[in-house]
Amino acid sequence: QVQLVESGGGSVQAGGSLRLSCAAFGYTYSTYCMGWFRQAPGKEREGVARIATGDGSTIYADSVRGRFTISQDNAKNTLYLQMNNLKPEDTAMYYCGTSWISCALSDFGYWGQGTQVTVSS
């Protein structure tokens, strides 16, 4: 019912910046929350940042707070993640996800295919 397409990943040096985009296609009328998640090799999928589509309220992981900014353009059905002061530990596959229930991490059940972010020291 919904297709999510991520873009904007790449390779940067520590301290650099990237801007990720996620375009949503299909049934998005009742989407409650959208978010960015990441998974590094050997690690669990981690919730990076979430934003409520209705009021724009945000939630950030402690590891990225102050460096990453999540935003949305509801008219374009597009989600963004501005990543500044990147660190090697940010290296991961980044996924866009959506929830029709709440912004709780457990309610995200649909994912894009991901975009790779690699940060070198």
Side-chain angles (χ1 to χ4, degrees):
Q1 55 182 304
V2 174
Q3 180 177 292
L4 304 174
V5 181
E6 301 96 335
S7 62
S11 298
V12 298
Q13 294 190 77
S17 298
L18 286 172
R19 180 176 169 86
L20 307 184
S21 298
C22 171
F25 304 91
Y27 184 74
T28 62
Y29 298 105
S30 61
T31 298
Y32 186 92
C33 195
M34 298 190 73
W36 288 98
F37 298 75
R38 66 187 182 187
Q39 188 166 26
K43 295 186 177 180
E44 299 291 324
R45 189 188 298 265
E46 174 189 18
V48 176
R50 289 161 280 166
I51 185 167
T53 57
D55 62 15
S57 60
T58 58
I59 304 172
Y60 294 94
D62 290 342
S63 60
V64 307
R65 186 174 292 108
R67 299 187 298 118
F68 292 9
T69 302
I70 188 171
S71 61
Q72 63 187 351
D73 186 336
N74 289 336
K76 297 181 179 179
N77 288 326
T78 302
L79 182 72
Y80 303 96
L81 184 68
Q82 178 66 47
M83 305 185 294
N84 297 326
N85 192 24
L86 284 161
K87 302 177 179 180
E89 51 263 45
D90 295 319
T91 296
M93 185 71 75
Y94 283 71
Y95 301 90
C96 175
T98 187
S99 169
W100 284 264
I101 303 173
S102 78
C103 284
L105 291 173
S106 60
D107 287 335
F108 285 82
Y110 196 88
W111 314 95
Q113 294 303 301
T115 184
Q116 179 67 40
V117 172
T118 302
V119 185
S120 59
S121 59

